[in-house]
Amino acid sequence: MSTDTPDASADDGPSRAELAARIEELETDLAEATADDGTEKMSIIATKGTLDMAYPPLILASTAAAFGYEVTVFHTFWGLDILHEERSKELKLSSVGNPSMSVPNLVGALPGMDRLTTTMMEKRIDENDTATIEELIETSLDMGVEFQACQMTIELMDYDEDDFYDGVTTGVGAATAIQDMAEADIQLLV
């Protein structure tokens, strides 16, 4: 009677030593990939270009940078006006459809109301010694915040890339913004 015993030379699989070495290699790769370098990352998407909606992404970005976060702010559609040197100085406050305004929509729709509410807000900003949009952008850039301008929106709105503040990264696409958000500890849409 013959017994079939596995022949070690017929076995094509890796040896125990090879498997152990591969496991150790994978554990090292995993440790490196998941290592915390101590720098937290924040990604903000700015989509609105009114005076009252320009402040939140800028204040959040500069504050996070002050706390040591690596911050990226991706501006798209009307949010791009925040980074445009001329347009950022002419941002308006809309009184229509803004539930926090003490102006009824019917009154807010009257000609000149947006200019009036904008002037009132600009006066409050000045009286409270609140930083301007330009000051917040410059401070944020000095602190290392990366402001990105959406390439598709630049083309759609027919903007000239030279019209943005110095230091703004132009030509950024949605794929780059999504990758940035995927790598961030905090993601915000403003």
Side-chain angles (χ1 to χ4, degrees):
M1 173 177 203
S2 78
T3 58
D4 291 303
T5 57
D7 185 358
S9 62
D11 186 18
D12 295 332
S15 70
R16 281 195 120 129
E18 291 170 328
L19 286 174
R22 180 66 180 140
I23 289 170
E24 187 176 326
E25 180 184 332
L26 289 171
E27 287 174 342
T28 301
D29 289 348
L30 178 63
E32 289 174 5
T34 58
D36 183 9
D37 67 356
T39 302
E40 293 182 291
K41 186 170 182 178
M42 177 183 278
S43 179
I44 302 172
I45 300 190
T47 63
K48 308 222 178 350
T50 58
L51 180 62
D52 56 329
M53 291 306 294
Y55 275 90
L58 297 175
I59 291 170
L60 291 167
S62 60
T63 302
F67 280 110
Y69 281 79
E70 179 184 327
V71 183
T72 303
V73 186
F74 180 74
H75 290 75
T76 187
F77 281 82
W78 306 120
L80 206 55
D81 286 350
I82 298 168
L83 301 179
H84 192 281
E85 280 194 83
E86 290 176 30
R87 292 178 181 269
S88 67
K89 293 176 179 109
E90 299 172 5
L91 299 178
K92 307 272 187 281
L93 180 66
S94 178
S95 53
V96 175
N98 188 338
S100 296
M101 294 293 294
S102 59
V103 178
N105 282 340
L106 185 60
V107 175
L110 293 173
M113 283 306 292
D114 282 351
R115 176 75 330 257
L116 177 65
T117 56
T118 299
T119 301
M120 289 170 49
M121 180 57 80
E122 289 171 339
K123 183 179 177 193
R124 289 187 84 168
I125 289 168
D126 186 51
E127 288 173 352
N128 286 312
D129 203 26
T130 302
T132 64
I133 301 299
E134 182 177 13
E135 290 169 338
L136 283 170
I137 289 171
E138 289 173 1
T139 298
S140 296
L141 286 167
D142 289 344
M143 296 173 77
V145 172
E146 181 180 2
F147 289 114
Q148 299 176 338
C150 174
Q151 184 61 39
M152 183 202 71
T153 306
I154 290 172
E155 293 169 8
L156 181 69
M157 304 296 189
D158 200 29
Y159 288 160
D160 185 341
E161 292 181 9
D162 294 332
D163 291 337
F164 295 104
Y165 286 97
D166 289 339
V168 170
T169 305
T170 57
V172 179
T176 301
I178 289 170
Q179 182 64 41
D180 185 71
M181 287 183 284
E183 296 171 358
D185 299 294
I186 300 172
Q187 306 89 8
L188 301 173
L189 173 63
V190 180

